Amino acid sequence: MVNIVLKESRLLNLLGLEEKDLNDVLFNLKSEVEKRGEDELEIEINSDRLDMLSPEGIKRAVDGILGRKLGEAKYEVVPTNYQLIIDDVESRPYALAAVVYDVKLDDDRIKELIQFQEKLHCTIGRKRKKVAIGIHDLDKIDGKGIRYSKVPLDYKFVPLNSDKEMSVSEVISSTEQGKLYGNISIKDNYSPAILQEDGQVLSIPPIINSNKTKINSSTKNLFIDVTGTNFDAVAQTLDLLVSNFAEGGSKIGTVKVSRYTSSSPLLIHNKLVVKTSDINKRLGLSLSTEEMAKYVRMMRMDANINSDEIEVIVPQYRIDIMTYVDIAEDVAMAYGYKSFSLPQYNSKGMGELLPITKLERAFRDLAIGGGFQEIFTFVLNKSSYLLYNDFVKIQNPITVEYDAVRNSLIWNMLKFLAKNQHARFPIKVFEVGDVVVKSEESDTGYKNDTRACLAIMNSRVSYEELQSVVHQMLYNLKGKEPRYVRQEKDYFIKGRSAKILFDNNVVGEIGEISPEILEKFNIENPVVIAEIYLEKLCE
C-alpha cells in the first residue's frame, strides 16, 4: 500500500463529494481514508493503482465509479517543436520526454506534484534505480533542442534550491539528494545528464534538477524528462504523469525523440479480450455482457461487445491491467463490494490440524522440554550466507542483505548464534520454519519444505551432546529409533557428522560445524547443529 497526504477541502471540492461519502467511494476503489489534521487526509492507495497517487487520478477514478463519466478519459495531444536527442548512456540507457501546457500551480498543487513524483520514484522507480523523473519550467529552457547525454564528474551547474555553482562530484558528496542517489548511475566517472543545446545542465538524473528550471506558482508550462534502466517502466511513468496533468485541464505536447520511438509520450493503449462467462464464474455473478461492459467503462476503460466477449481497450493510465483477472477485479469494484451476497455453507464436520502442523507442535513441545529456546528468523537472507546447493535468488531485491530465499535453516541459525555470543553459555536454541529447495517435480523447479533446526553453542560441545537429545525426540515422535550413517559435508568437521534415517529414508543431518564455517560467520565457540526434515517425517 502507498500512503499519500492531501488537503481535505481541495480534494472534496475537486471530487464534488461530502466528507461522509468519501470513505465509501474510495473503499470501492481499494483505498482507505484517515483524517490526519484539521484539513488533511491520509489516503492509503493500493500499490497497483499508481494512477491514483494524485488528486486528479483519484478524480478520474471516482467519476467512473459514480457513473458520472464512462469509458476512457480522452485528452488533447498536440505536436511541439521540442526534440530530445539521446546519446549512449550505458548506466541509464533510456530516456523519454513530454511537454505539458496550461498547468495551474499554487503552493498546495506543487506539494501534491512533488509527492506524486516521489511516490512514483519509490514504486515503479524502485527508489530511482529503475526510473527517475525531472519536472522543469518549460519557459525557462533556452531553445527547442534538449540532449540526454553524460558529463564528467567535474561538470558544473547550480543544483536545485541553491545559488552556488557546484560540480557533479560536489553535489554527490555534499547534498542530501547526492548522498542518497549519487552513485546509482555513475559509471567510469561519468554521470547521465539532461542538457540544453548550449550545454547547460537541466538535471542530473537520478540525483537532482538544476535550479535554472525550478517550478513555482507562476509556472504555466512544463517539460518532463523520465530516464531509467527499463524502457517500459520509463514509458509508463511518463504516461501516468502527463495523463494526470491532462485530467486537471492541461494539454499534452509531444516531443520528437531521436531513439527508440519517433515521439513521446507514447500514451500506450493495450487490447484485452475477456469472456463474460469467465468473469462471472470467477466472481460468482450472472451479469449480462452489456452489464459487464458498463462496469468496465465505469473503471474508465473503453469496452466493445462481441457476443459473449468484451474487447477492453486499456488506456495509458491503467498500467495495472494485464490479464482477465484484473478486469474481473475492476468489474467487482464497479459492481460494489457491498453488493456481493455471502453464500451459506453447511459444514459436514469439524476442522482439524494438518499432519505437518501436528508434527510441528509436537516437535516444539519436545524441544522446549529438552531445554531449548525457540527463535524465529527471516525467510530471506543474504546470498553469500547460503552456502552450497541451489537456492532462489531475488531478481530485484530491496536490499542486498535480503537478496535470496533460504534453502536451509542452518545458515540462519549460524547468523543468530554469531550475534548472541555474549549470552550466557550454553546457548541452546531451535527453529521450525519453511525453506525453499530445488525440486524436479515442481513447475517452478523449487518447492517449500518445512524443517526444524536445533543448535548448541558452548565453550566445549560435542556431537554426542546434541545427538542424544535428537535421538530421544525422534523416538518420541515416531515410536521407533532412528539410525545414523556417517557423511562428509564441507560445513561439518570430518568424521563428526551423520545422516539421520528412518527405513532408509534420510530425514535430517547432524554434526559439529567446521572451523572454516565458524570463521566465515565470525563465531568464536564450537557449535553443533541438527536439521530435521519434518515433511519427510510426515511421509
Side-chain angles (χ1 to χ4, degrees):
M1 304 295 281
V2 185
N3 287 29
I4 60 174
V5 177
L6 301 176
K7 193 170 182 179
E8 182 181 14
S9 56
R10 169 172 142 68
L11 181 64
L12 292 175
N13 183 59
L14 184 68
L15 300 181
L17 291 175
E18 298 292 332
E19 183 181 349
K20 59 184 177 60
D21 301 321
L22 185 62
N23 277 312
D24 289 339
V25 173
L26 290 184
F27 175 78
N28 269 3
L29 289 166
K30 300 189 300 183
S31 302
E32 295 183 13
V33 183
E34 183 178 339
K35 198 168 178 67
R36 261 186 51 163
E38 185 177 338
D39 193 28
E40 268 191 348
L41 293 176
E42 183 172 13
I43 305 177
E44 191 175 41
I45 307 290
N46 207 60
S47 56
D48 62 341
R49 291 302 302 267
L50 301 183
D51 57 303
M52 291 178 58
L53 293 179
S54 78
E56 291 73 25
I58 294 174
K59 177 184 182 299
R60 181 174 51 225
V62 168
D63 282 345
I65 205 82
L66 294 179
R68 296 171 180 168
K69 296 180 182 180
L70 300 179
E72 179 188 342
K74 302 293 197 297
Y75 305 122
E76 185 178 0
V77 182
V78 298
T80 73
N81 293 325
Y82 287 90
Q83 181 179 13
L84 179 66
I85 302 162
I86 304 171
D87 294 337
D88 288 324
V89 182
E90 298 87 353
S91 64
R92 201 173 192 85
Y94 303 106
L96 294 173
V99 168
V100 179
Y101 293 113
D102 304 326
V103 297
K104 298 174 179 64
L105 296 178
D106 55 27
D107 291 343
D108 290 330
R109 291 289 304 278
I110 290 173
K111 286 180 183 177
E112 292 167 357
L113 175 56
I114 293 171
Q115 178 178 238
F116 186 30
Q117 180 183 9
E118 286 309 307
K119 295 301 180 182
L120 289 176
H121 277 152
C122 292
T123 51
I124 191 171
R126 296 292 189 269
K127 295 186 177 179
R128 306 195 189 190
K129 292 179 182 178
K130 193 174 183 180
V131 168
I133 303 160
I135 301 177
H136 313 269
D137 189 325
L138 178 70
D139 300 320
K140 295 178 181 177
I141 298 175
D142 306 317
K144 305 288 186 181
I146 294 154
R147 183 177 292 275
Y148 178 55
S149 188
K150 55 186 180 182
V151 296
L153 297 185
D154 58 1
Y155 207 88
K156 292 192 174 183
F157 71 107
V158 179
L160 188 66
N161 297 324
S162 174
D163 55 5
K164 175 187 174 184
E165 189 176 63
M166 304 169 69
S167 67
V168 176
S169 57
E170 287 174 327
V171 169
I172 292 172
S173 62
S174 62
T175 67
E176 183 181 352
Q177 297 291 88
K179 292 173 183 176
L180 288 173
Y181 310 111
N183 294 316
I184 291 176
S185 295
I186 302 299
K187 184 175 181 181
D188 299 329
N189 291 319
Y190 279 85
S191 170
I194 303 288
L195 307 168
Q196 281 187 168
E197 289 176 316
D198 60 4
Q200 285 191 67
V201 170
L202 299 182
S203 70
I204 299 292
I207 307 172
I208 198 167
N209 283 2
S210 165
N211 200 58
K212 171 182 173 61
T213 54
K214 180 180 178 179
I215 63 173
N216 53 45
S217 58
S218 62
T219 298
K220 302 300 179 187
N221 306 303
L222 299 175
F223 179 84
I224 303 174
D225 67 76
V226 181
T227 63
T229 58
N230 179 281
F231 181 78
D232 290 338
V234 168
Q236 289 172 347
T237 301
L238 186 58
D239 283 354
L240 284 170
L241 282 161
V242 298
S243 297
N244 282 22
F245 275 115
E247 184 65 31
S250 301
K251 188 164 51 179
I252 301 170
T254 60
V255 172
K256 297 174 185 175
V257 180
S258 66
R259 299 175 75 171
Y260 316 122
T261 182
S262 59
S263 66
S264 67
L266 302 187
L267 302 177
I268 300 166
H269 285 62
N270 294 314
K271 290 183 179 179
L272 199 60
V273 177
V274 298
K275 287 187 175 181
T276 307
S277 55
D278 288 345
I279 294 179
N280 274 329
K281 183 178 179 181
R282 190 169 194 89
L283 299 179
L285 300 174
S286 54
L287 301 173
S288 67
T289 306
E290 289 74 17
E291 288 175 314
M292 194 169 292
K294 178 189 174 185
Y295 289 132
V296 170
R297 295 183 186 113
M298 288 173 65
M299 300 307 291
R300 306 312 305 272
M301 296 179 284
D302 285 339
N304 302 317
I305 297 173
N306 181 15
S307 186
D308 181 45
E309 292 183 340
I310 301 174
E311 181 188 60
V312 181
I313 313 300
V314 183
Q316 71 276 3
Y317 48 81
R318 290 305 306 273
I319 65 172
D320 57 304
I321 302 293
M322 289 179 281
T323 70
Y324 94 96
V325 176
D326 301 308
I327 301 296
E329 184 182 29
D330 268 26
V331 169
M333 285 191 282
Y335 180 77
Y337 290 132
K338 293 182 179 179
S339 300
F340 282 86
S341 58
L342 296 176
Q344 292 185 349
Y345 290 100
N346 294 320
S347 177
K348 294 184 178 179
M350 296 293 291
E352 62 176 327
L353 297 175
L354 293 171
I356 186 66
T357 305
K358 293 179 181 178
L359 185 62
E360 287 177 23
R361 293 187 176 188
F363 186 93
R364 284 189 172 96
D365 289 342
L366 291 169
I368 292 169
F372 288 77
Q373 184 174 352
E374 187 170 13
I375 66 169
F376 297 93
T377 62
F378 294 123
V379 174
L380 299 184
N381 209 326
K382 191 173 183 178
S383 55
S384 60
Y385 284 120
L386 302 183
L387 311 178
Y388 315 110
N389 301 324
D390 292 316
F391 57 84
V392 176
K393 190 161 185 184
I394 298 170
Q395 189 171 2
N396 295 307
I398 295 176
T399 168
V400 294
E401 291 300 317
Y402 301 103
D403 64 343
V405 184
R406 65 187 182 188
N407 60 353
S408 170
L409 297 178
I410 291 177
W411 323 128
N412 293 55
M413 185 67 75
L414 290 172
K415 282 180 66 177
F416 175 85
L417 293 173
K419 293 179 180 180
N420 289 274
Q421 297 181 81
H422 60 281
R424 179 181 294 178
F425 282 178
I427 296 175
K428 299 171 69 176
V429 289
F430 78 97
E431 180 175 12
V432 177
D434 281 357
V435 300
V436 174
V437 294
K438 196 169 182 63
S439 171
E440 295 180 0
E441 300 173 0
S442 170
D443 293 339
T444 61
Y446 290 85
K447 69 169 186 176
N448 283 21
D449 190 38
T450 304
R451 296 187 177 183
C453 187
L454 300 104
I456 302 174
M457 180 169 69
N458 204 348
S459 56
R460 295 182 64 184
V461 67
S462 67
Y463 167 90
E464 293 80 11
E465 190 172 339
L466 182 59
Q467 188 265 343
S468 59
V469 176
V470 170
H471 185 90
Q472 187 62 44
M473 288 175 64
L474 293 177
Y475 178 77
N476 289 347
L477 288 171
K478 299 297 290 184
K480 56 183 178 181
E481 295 186 354
R483 62 189 186 90
Y484 307 87
V485 176
R486 177 173 172 162
Q487 67 167 5
E488 301 298 339
K489 290 284 184 73
D490 291 344
Y491 45 89
F492 288 131
I493 297 174
K494 188 174 182 180
R496 301 296 294 170
S497 70
K499 295 183 288 187
I500 305 171
L501 292 87
F502 275 115
D503 301 328
N504 297 320
N505 294 315
V506 177
V507 297
E509 61 180 351
I510 183 172
E512 296 178 22
I513 299 298
S514 71
E516 294 79 13
I517 300 302
L518 293 176
E519 185 177 355
K520 178 179 176 63
F521 284 85
N522 296 316
I523 297 175
E524 299 177 358
N525 295 281
V527 174
V528 58
I529 280 182
E531 185 168 40
I532 310 300
Y533 313 147
L534 294 182
E535 291 195 11
K536 291 278 188 181
L537 284 181
C538 268
E539 295 172 6

